[in-house]
Amino acid sequence: TALCNIDTLILNSYEAELLMTSLTVKLPSMQSNLLALGKFREVGPELLRKPMGSATTCFTLMQFFNAVHQCGPTTIVVTNGAEGVYASDGETIYFHPSIKINMVSSVGAGDAFGSCFVAQRLHGTSIEDALRAGVINSSSVIKHLGTQTGLLTQEELEKHCAHLDKNLLKKYPIT
């Protein structure tokens, strides 16, 4: 598959569900999936608390990350709209909530996040800081009409990142 040639894969939660249902991996039973949710069932961000999938396939976000990492990508990102964004490097799941702002249009938010995240990583930025920059850039875009209005320069990103609460980002070990 093409996944073995991809370093960073960015999908929204719906696309992640579609990809997982198309992979030829043996998925655990529903009971195993619920047990895998374990400590996240009551607390934690949305996609870590509930099963994902379709009528024919059920899996957890952690199982998704593990299965897709086995196919090649070293960094996998799953956006979940207004809730926030998840990323995995194969050892840790990172979660950053969306920034609460008055949204004008969500058009372009995913592209603003993704392009910013990848550019930051290409410049040697950590996953944590790339997530922060991507969330800031996408929140700036959705305050405007259009897909490019509101995109921030590197200098503007650095300024906004310096003021963002670093404790918003949460880390969960992959088990």
Side-chain angles (χ1 to χ4, degrees):
T1 72
L3 288 173
C4 64
N5 297 308
I6 295 173
D7 179 60
T8 300
L9 178 66
I10 301 174
L11 306 164
N12 63 41
S13 58
Y14 176 71
E15 293 164 337
E17 289 180 352
L18 291 176
L19 174 61
M20 189 66 161
T21 58
S22 71
L23 292 177
T24 54
V25 295
K26 184 178 183 304
L27 294 172
S29 69
M30 177 60 135
Q31 184 175 1
S32 296
N33 288 336
L34 293 175
L35 288 174
L37 292 174
K39 64 184 174 185
F40 301 116
R41 197 174 302 155
E42 299 299 323
V43 296
E46 180 181 341
L47 290 183
L48 286 176
R49 287 193 324 264
K50 66 177 191 170
M52 298 173 69
S54 65
T56 59
T57 308
C58 181
F59 55 93
T60 66
L61 182 63
M62 197 168 297
Q63 290 167 334
F64 169 79
F65 282 138
N66 284 327
V68 178
H69 279 303
Q70 289 176 17
C71 295
T74 56
T75 304
I76 306 165
V77 179
V78 177
T79 62
N80 197 35
E83 188 217 3
V85 60
Y86 301 80
S88 171
D89 60 7
E91 295 178 12
T92 304
I93 294 175
Y94 305 86
F95 171 74
H96 199 291
S98 294
I99 297 171
K100 306 300 180 215
I101 50 101
N102 291 326
M103 180 177 65
V104 173
S105 171
S106 64
V107 175
D111 291 337
F113 171 84
S115 60
C116 185
F117 180 86
V118 170
Q120 294 297 308
R121 294 292 288 151
L122 286 172
H123 284 95
T125 304
S126 68
I127 288 177
E128 294 98 321
D129 286 338
L131 283 171
R132 290 179 182 107
V135 167
I136 288 168
N137 201 38
S138 64
S139 69
S140 178
V141 168
I142 65 176
K143 291 191 280 188
H144 302 87
L145 282 177
T147 59
Q148 295 181 11
T149 307
L151 288 172
L152 301 173
T153 66
Q154 181 64 31
E155 185 178 303
E156 292 168 326
L157 281 169
E158 290 170 7
K159 187 177 180 179
H160 287 286
C161 281
H163 298 293
L164 187 64
D165 181 358
K166 303 284 190 242
N167 294 318
L168 290 173
L169 186 125
K170 304 295 181 201
K171 296 193 249 183
Y172 305 93
I174 290 185
T175 55

